């Protein structure tokens, strides 16, 4: 298993560009199944999650070329294969279930493995299935396989009990092909959903309200091909900003958008970090001592759950007491045990973690337990005294495009070793 060895870094500096967003790319890749016409997707990062989704689309019958160096996908039509029950790719990637809505929309049928849970939670799909049933689909779940069939899909009113990102995306992908109007209430408002709707609108879909809690979709019988550039990855941008803050640096994150990172920037400023909007992106400097803050993860526009772990690394060295509350996932404190091995003083109390900032963390041998926990350990390792060995890098590579190279571009010293 390969590992990173991360050395202590004093004040990162310089500039680095953000890659395309994993969480915008995955639903947009599912959306290409809504048309027989060619689509061109650019700024599509070569992440392992993106490659898994492309394998799944190939199994669904899509013809495409993906140029990794140009980060460009060109699709060339597809023969609908809606039965993906035996798909290897679907088993590897939870987000593969996002093709259910698109297959239901175009083939009126979809057969997929039940998406698995993951370290951070059970990740149910009850809200996805509720939306499909409301649109007129027959839903069967047995033996770990989800079978969806519909004579036709009819627009309707759908209320989401929780503003689920995936359920909002899946229902959108089905409703664009339904007969009549669908009104989705208590929808998720994440920027990645706004990017998906930008792509669907270029394909000819009639959608309004994206980025708010109520999205209205006028169904259309056929959608056309489109050209789309994936939005910048706000979670990667936030991770890189925290790297600058934790080392007391002076960095420019090019391509990052302030609008998409409102709550994260607000919390960084509360921690005594200086953030300015620059022409090319976001400029961060931190000279004085970090201050402790309380934070609570919430659906957008609240503090994003995907930056809870990276931000906790920062609070672990902010003198004073911070309380971090995770309200979105039921098991997203797996990084706490690993941070403790580096000397962090963190106590879990149900959905909250009480963080007592320490003077200094120490390098240690730690394991990435999930994608964002892995990133949190890299950030903590930059601030820690000595060297830190981080194992199980597959998690990090799933969702970050060469994070170690980007941190080295800012002055970090990170080596990859094979065990
Ligand atoms: C998306 O996951 C993201 N993944 C996650 O990013 C992100 O953390 C999450 O949204 C929240 O912002 C992608 O976009 C590929 P949810 P998703 O449905 O869609 C419950 C990362 O690190 N729920 O909004 O699975 C669920 O259990 C990943 O990049 C139901 O109860 O998130 C969870 O507690 C991690 N029933 C909460 O909603 C359902 O049918 C949020 O889940 C669906 C969800």
């Amino acid at each position: 298993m390969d590992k990173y060895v991360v050395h202590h870094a004093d004040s990162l500096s310089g500039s680095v560009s953000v890659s395309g967003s994993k969480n915008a790319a995955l639903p947009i890749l599912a959306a290409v199944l809504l048309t027989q016409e060619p689509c061109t997707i650019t700024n599509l990062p070569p992440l392992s999650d993106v490659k898994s989704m492309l394998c799944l689309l190939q199994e669904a019958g899509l013809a495409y070329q993906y140029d990794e160096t140009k980060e460009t996908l060109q699709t060339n039509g597809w023969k609908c294969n809606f039965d993906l029950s035996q798909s290897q790719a679907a088993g590897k990637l939870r987000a593969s279930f996002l093709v259910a809505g698109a297959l239901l929309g175009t083939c009126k049928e979809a057969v997929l493995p039940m998406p698995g849970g993951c370290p951070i939670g059970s990740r149910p799909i009850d809200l996805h299935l509720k939306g499909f049933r409301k649109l007129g689909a027959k839903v069967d779940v047995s033996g770990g396989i989800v079978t969806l069939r519909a004579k036709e899909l009819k627009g309707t009113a759908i209320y989401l009990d929780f503003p689920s990102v995936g359920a909002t995306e899946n229902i959108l992908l089905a409703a664009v092909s339904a007969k009549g109007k669908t009104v989705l209430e208590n929808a998720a408002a994440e920027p990645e959903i706004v990017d998906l709707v930008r792509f669907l609108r270029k394909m000819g879909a009639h959608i309004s309200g994206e980025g708010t809690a109520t999205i209205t979709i006028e169904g259309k019988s056929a959608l056309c091909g489109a050209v789309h550039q994936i939005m910048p990855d706000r979670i990667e941008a936030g991770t890189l900003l925290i790297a600058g803050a934790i080392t007391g640096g002076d960095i420019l994150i090019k391509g990052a958008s302030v609008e998409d990172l409102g709550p994260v920037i607000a919390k960084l400023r509360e921690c005594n970090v200086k953030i300015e909007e620059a022409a090319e992106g976001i400029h961060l400097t931190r000279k004085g001592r970090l201050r402790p803050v309380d934070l609570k993860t919430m659906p957008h526009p609240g503090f994003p759950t995907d930056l809870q772990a990276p931000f906790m690394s920062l609070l672990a060295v902010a003198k004073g007491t911070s309380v971090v509350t995770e309200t979105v996932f039921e098991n997203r404190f797996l990084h706490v045990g690993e941070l403790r091995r580096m000397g962090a003083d963190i106590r879990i109390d149900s959905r909250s973690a009480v963080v007592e900032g320490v003077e200094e963390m120490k390098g240690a041998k730690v394991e990435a337990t999930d994608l964002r926990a892995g990133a949190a350990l890299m950030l903590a390792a930059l601030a820690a005294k000595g060297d830190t060995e981080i194992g199980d890098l597959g998690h990090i590579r799933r969702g970050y495009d060469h994070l170690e190279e980007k941190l080295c571009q800012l002055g970090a010293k990170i080596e990859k070793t094979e065990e």
Side-chain angles (χ1 to χ4, degrees), residues 44-46 50-51 54 64-68 71-74:
L44 182 65
V50 166
K51 293 179 184 173
L54 288 172
Y64 65 80
Q65 287 86 36
Y66 176 48
D67 181 331
E68 267 197 46
E71 299 192 347
T72 297
L73 173 77
Q74 180 62 49

Side-chain angles (χ1 to χ4, degrees), residues 400-416:
Y400 284 97
D401 182 18
H402 297 99
L403 179 59
E404 77 285 357
E405 284 178 20
K406 286 174 177 155
L407 290 171
C408 289
Q409 232 177 287
L410 294 171
K413 289 184 186 51
I414 302 173
E415 291 106 36
K416 211 172 351 181

Side-chain angles (χ1 to χ4, degrees), residues 128-184:
H128 300 236
L129 302 182
K130 170 183 176 181
F132 294 149
R133 286 193 182 94
K134 292 278 288 183
L135 288 166
K138 194 168 166 307
V139 177
D140 286 301
V141 182
S142 65
I145 301 292
V146 180
T147 304
L148 308 170
R149 281 196 187 87
K151 284 200 187 52
E152 70 166 5
L153 294 176
K154 279 184 73 177
T156 183
I158 300 172
Y159 173 79
L160 286 181
D161 305 70
F162 181 89
S164 153
V165 171
T168 300
E169 292 165 342
N170 237 337
I171 292 166
L172 267 174
L173 290 166
V176 287
S177 311
K179 273 194 177 36
K181 179 163 86 167
T182 296
V183 180
L184 184 54

Side-chain angles (χ1 to χ4, degrees), residues 22-23 26 94-95 120 123-128 162-167 169 190 305-306 328-330 332 371-372:
K22 166 179 87 82
N23 291 349
L26 296 174
R94 256 193 54 74
I120 64 175
R123 315 291 292 272
I125 56 166
D126 55 304
L127 298 176
H128 300 236
F162 181 89
S164 153
V165 171
E169 292 165 342
E190 271 67 5
T305 173
D306 292 347
V328 176
F329 287 104
E330 70 266 30
R332 205 168 199 177
L371 166 57
R372 307 301 175 184

